[in-house]
């Protein structure tokens, strides 16, 4: 059995290392801010610090998964999805396009429709890529969109009393 990493594993490992480096630079800036609970309430560094911890955990998960993956499984993963042709470039291009659409939509139609459309389409696409079942993927996308949008609104508006623009006519 060969121990060499597939191109897909190598890309995933390089991505994780790049993410690690970028997050470390970001974390060094967060450390210069006041402590998250210096006044007894979450301060301006709370969410950035939470994000840094999340990214470090994600990097560990990516590296752990890729380094433990047998060569045969890595090679099979490199071949892509049997349900989405050209998945190697289509997924990232779609994610970038949807993210740009979310940013633009957020400015023009507000948080609720922009966040719902973004999360529903992203979740639906990636579920379809994995399962190949369009209706199931669409349903999961809609449920995910509703949940993420609702919890995002509750988190920012209700918990932290931040303003999120709504669809105002």
């Amino acid at each position: 059995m060969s121990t060499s990493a597939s191109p897909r594993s190598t890309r995933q490992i390089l991505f994780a290392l790049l993410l690690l480096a970028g997050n470390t630079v970001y974390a060094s800036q967060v450390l210069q801010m006041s402590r998250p609970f210096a006044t007894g309430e979450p301060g301006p560094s709370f969410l950035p610090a939470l994000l840094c911890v999340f990214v470090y955990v994600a990097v560990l998960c990516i590296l752990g998964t890729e380094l433990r993956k047998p060569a045969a499984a890595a090679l099979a993963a490199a071949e892509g999805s049997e349900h989405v042709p050209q998945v190697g470039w289509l997924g990232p291009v779609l994610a970038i396009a949807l993210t740009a659409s979310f940013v633009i939509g957020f400015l023009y139609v507000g948080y609720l429709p922009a966040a719902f459309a973004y999360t529903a389409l992203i979740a639906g696409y990636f579920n379809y890529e994995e399962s190949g079942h369009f209706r199931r993927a669409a349903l999961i996308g809609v449920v995910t969109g509703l949940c993420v949008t609702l919890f995002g609104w509750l988190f920012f508006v209700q918990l932290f009393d931040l303003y999120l623009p709504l669809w105002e006519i």
Side-chain angles (χ1 to χ4, degrees):
M1 178 162 84
S2 172
T3 59
S4 65
S6 73
R8 169 107 177 168
S9 286
T10 303
R11 286 194 307 259
Q12 294 290 355
I13 291 169
L14 288 175
F15 170 73
L17 294 176
L18 181 65
L19 198 58
L20 177 67
N23 193 51
T24 301
V25 170
Y26 183 71
S28 72
Q29 299 299 311
V30 172
L31 291 175
Q32 295 177 8
M33 299 171 76
S34 64
R35 290 191 353 227
F37 290 95
T39 63
E41 295 181 356
S45 65
F46 175 69
L47 286 177
L50 194 63
L51 177 64
C52 284
V53 170
F54 174 77
V55 171
Y56 280 128
V57 170
V59 166
L60 288 174
C61 290
I62 292 168
L63 289 174
T65 300
E66 293 303 318
L67 294 175
R68 285 191 313 242
K69 187 183 294 182
L75 186 58
E79 294 173 1
S81 169
E82 61 187 58
H83 310 293
V84 179
Q86 305 301 322
V87 72
W89 63 268
L90 183 61
V93 168
L94 184 66
I96 291 168
L98 287 173
T99 302
S101 298
F102 168 72
V103 171
I104 293 166
F106 186 83
L107 295 173
Y108 289 102
V109 298
Y111 170 76
L112 293 175
F116 172 74
Y118 175 70
T119 54
L121 290 171
I122 287 280
Y125 170 77
F126 286 110
N127 190 276
Y128 176 72
E129 175 186 302
E130 186 175 323
S131 71
H133 295 76
F134 181 77
R135 287 182 188 211
R136 181 175 182 271
L139 178 63
I140 288 173
V142 167
V143 170
T144 301
L146 288 171
C147 291
V148 169
T149 302
L150 174 67
F151 286 117
W153 183 79
L154 289 172
F155 183 77
F156 289 111
V157 174
Q158 297 299 314
L159 184 62
F160 288 107
D161 200 28
L162 297 173
Y163 171 75
L164 286 176
L166 299 175
W167 193 349
E168 299 168 4
I169 300 175

